[in-house]
C-alpha cells in the first residue's frame, strides 16, 4: 500500500485524512501547524488535524517552519511514497518535494482561478455561482502545479464560508480517493494550468473586513457571507466595531449606511443600491446575537435615520 505523509491543519483537512485512513493508505506521519493560543482567554488549542491524527494514534510533526527543520530531515527519512497536502498553511521546500515519488495538493478552488490561501472567501465575495476542488501536483511555486482532476459545486444564497468549507472538504475527500488509484498507476495525464487565466486569492487583509455602504446591497451581502464565520465583516456603530454575521438583500433606498426601517424584530440599512436586513450581529465586546435581541437590548435607542459608518 502507498506510504503517505499527510499535511493539513484546519477542519477542512480532516475528512481528507480520514478518507485516506479508511481507504487503507499507510499514513506514516501527519504534519500540521503548531498549537496556538486562541480566543479571549488565549487558550492553547490543537489543530483539528492534530486531534484527528492523535485519535488514530499517528505520529504528529508540528514545525514552526518546515524548511531546514529537524522535523523535515526526519520526514525525509521515513521512506514515504508520496505527500498529500490539504490546507496545510506552509510552503513545502523543493528538497522535500523531490524526496518522494508523488506530491499532490487538495486545493479548494477551480484552478487556475484563485491560487492562494482564501479561495472560498473570494468565490463568495465575488458572487461566483460555483466553487470547487482541484487535485493538483505540487511544485515550488504556490498552487501552480499541473491539474489532475477537478469538481465543481454550486454556491447558493444560503452558503457562507463555513458551509462551503464543509461541502468542499467532502468533495475534496471523494475526489482525491477517486483520483489516486489511476494517478498512482500512471493512467492520468495532469494538465498544465492556463497562465492567462490565473487569479489569486490572498488571505483577507484586516482593512478589507470593513463594509462599504457605498457598495450595492448584493455586494454587501456577499461580503458578509464571504467573511462568515471568519474573519467576519464589520461596520462602525456609535464609534465602535459592529460585526455582521448574517444579512439578506431587501428592497429599500436611502443614504448609504442609514437606518431606513426599524421594528422590534428588523433593522434595515440602505446601501448605494438597495438595502440589507440585519439578522445576526455582534456589538463590540459582546457575543453574537439575533437582531431581535440586539434591538430589545443594546440597540433599543436606535431609530430610523441613524447612521452606520
Amino acid at each position: 500500500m502507498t506510504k503517505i505523509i499527510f499535511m493539513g491543519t484546519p477542519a477542512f483537512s480532516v475528512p481528507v485524512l480520514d478518507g485516506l485512513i479508511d481507504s487503507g493508505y499507510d499514513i506514516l506521519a501527519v504534519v500540521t501547524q503548531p498549537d496556538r493560543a486562541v480566543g479571549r482567554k488565549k487558550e492553547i488549542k490543537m489543530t483539528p488535524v492534530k486531534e484527528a491524527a492523535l485519535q488514530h494514534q499517528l505520529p504528529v510533526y508540528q514545525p514552526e517552519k518546515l524548511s531546514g527543520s529537524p522535523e523535515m530531515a526526519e520526514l525525509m527519512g521515513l521512506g514515504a511514497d508520496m505527500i498529500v497536502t490539504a490546507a496545510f498553511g506552509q510552503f513545502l521546500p523543493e528538497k522535500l518535494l523531490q524526496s518522494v515519488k508523488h506530491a499532490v495538493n487538495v486545493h479548494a478552488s477551480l484552478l487556475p482561478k484563485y491560487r492562494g490561501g482564501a479561495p472560498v472567501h473570494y468565490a463568495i465575495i465575488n458572487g461566483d455561482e460555483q466553487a470547487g476542488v482541484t487535485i493538483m501536483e505540487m511544485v515550488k511555486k504556490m498552487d501552480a502545479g499541473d491539474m489532475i482532476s477537478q469538481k465543481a459545486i454550486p454556491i447558493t444564497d444560503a452558503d457562507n464560508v463555513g458551509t462551503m468549507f464543509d461541502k468542499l472538504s467532502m468533495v475534496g475527500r471523494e475526489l482525491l480517493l477517486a483520483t489516486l488509484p489511476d494517478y498512482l498507476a500512471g493512467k492520468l495525464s495532469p494538465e498544465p494550468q492556463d497562465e492567462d487565466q490565473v487569479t489569486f486569492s490572498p488571505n483577507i487583509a484586516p482593512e478589507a473586513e470593513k463594509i462599504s455602504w457605498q457598495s450595492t446591497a448584493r455586494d454587501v451581502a456577499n461580503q458578509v457571507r464571504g467573511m462568515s464565520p471568519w474573519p467576519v465583516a464589520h461596520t462602525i456603530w456609535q464609534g465602535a466595531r459592529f460585526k455582521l454575521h448574517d444579512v439578506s438583500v431587501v428592497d429599500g433606498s436611502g443614504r448609504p449606511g442609514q437606518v431606513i426601517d426599524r421594528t422590534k424584530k428588523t433593522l434595515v440599512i440602505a446601501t448605494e443600491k438597495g438595502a440589507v436586513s440585519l439578522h445576526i450581529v455582534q456589538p463590540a465586546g459582546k457575543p453574537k446575537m439575533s437582531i431581535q435581541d440586539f434591538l430589545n437590548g443594546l440597540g433599543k435607542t436606535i431609530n430610523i435615520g441613524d447612521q452606520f459608518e
Side-chain angles (χ1 to χ4, degrees), residues 155-222:
I155 301 174
T156 72
D157 280 347
D159 282 319
N160 59 23
V161 169
T163 64
M164 288 304 298
F165 261 89
D166 290 343
K167 294 178 183 179
L168 291 171
S169 66
M170 298 309 297
V171 171
R173 165 194 167 121
E174 299 307 318
L175 185 61
L176 178 70
L177 296 178
T179 300
L180 279 184
D182 282 349
Y183 175 68
L184 294 173
K187 298 178 181 178
L188 300 179
S189 299
E191 176 185 348
Q193 297 183 38
D194 183 348
E195 292 294 328
D196 292 335
Q197 302 300 316
V198 170
T199 62
F200 294 92
S201 57
N203 292 334
I204 304 293
E207 56 270 23
E209 298 168 14
K210 188 174 184 300
I211 294 290
S212 170
W213 296 108
Q214 280 69 39
S215 303
T216 68
R218 171 54 64 183
D219 286 344
V220 170
N222 287 345

Side-chain angles (χ1 to χ4, degrees), residues 276-296:
V276 293
S277 182
L278 311 190
H279 302 305
I280 305 294
V281 300
Q282 186 175 6
K286 302 295 181 182
K288 65 181 181 181
M289 61 186 72
S290 69
I291 193 62
Q292 183 176 354
D293 287 344
F294 169 69
L295 292 172
N296 289 330

Side-chain angles (χ1 to χ4, degrees), residues 66-112:
L66 192 52
S67 180
S69 66
E71 290 91 343
M72 184 175 118
E74 193 169 334
L75 291 166
M76 292 173 63
L78 293 178
D81 298 308
M82 73 179 303
I83 294 171
V84 175
T85 65
F88 174 46
Q90 289 190 37
F91 284 104
L92 268 57
E94 192 169 10
K95 186 177 180 181
L96 178 60
L97 294 175
Q98 292 177 347
S99 71
V100 293
K101 298 175 185 173
H102 309 283
V104 303
N105 181 35
V106 181
H107 183 73
S109 87
L110 299 171
L111 291 171

Side-chain angles (χ1 to χ4, degrees), residues 11-25:
F12 173 86
S13 318
V14 174
V16 181
L17 173 60
D18 287 342
L20 292 169
I21 295 169
D22 293 344
S23 297
Y25 288 97

